[in-house]
Amino acid sequence: MNTVNSTSSIPNHLAWSIIATVLATCLCCPLGLIGIVAIVFSSKVNSLLAQGDIDGARRASNNAKIWCWVATGLAILGLIINAIYFATVGSAGYMEMLQQYQ
């Protein structure tokens, strides 16, 4: 019975890692792809639990959480940079910058 309680309390953070990776990549730069590391660790949690490796699942969950925070931080940083750039240059300058990226 303790095994069920301990395994159900280990989150895999998969949804958070996917959302943070997409937002960080779109808002910040290709550096946002670092969130893929979070996705990899998140996907390991359930397979480690299925194998009975509870300690490994906890480590993978903790690593996924750390990398999710990194990706979320990059997304927030990108949002702030874009907002500042839009506020200082204006919509015409912002659209010109987006066209240069294409």
Side-chain angles (χ1 to χ4, degrees), residues 20-81:
T21 301
V22 170
L23 288 177
T25 303
C26 292
L27 293 173
C28 185
C29 58
L31 187 62
L33 291 174
I34 204 163
I36 291 175
V37 177
I39 295 171
V40 170
F41 279 115
S42 296
S43 64
K44 284 184 179 182
V45 173
N46 290 340
S47 63
L48 289 171
L49 284 175
Q51 294 173 1
D53 187 5
I54 295 172
D55 290 333
R58 282 192 184 115
R59 282 192 304 272
S61 177
N62 289 336
N63 285 332
K65 186 176 180 180
I66 290 169
W67 287 106
C68 283
W69 278 113
V70 170
T72 302
L74 287 172
I76 292 169
L77 179 68
L79 182 64
I80 291 170
I81 290 171

Side-chain angles (χ1 to χ4, degrees), residues 5-23:
N5 289 337
S6 62
T7 59
S8 65
S9 65
I10 301 174
N12 63 7
H13 306 291
L14 187 60
W16 181 16
S17 62
I18 292 171
I19 292 169
T21 301
V22 170
L23 288 177

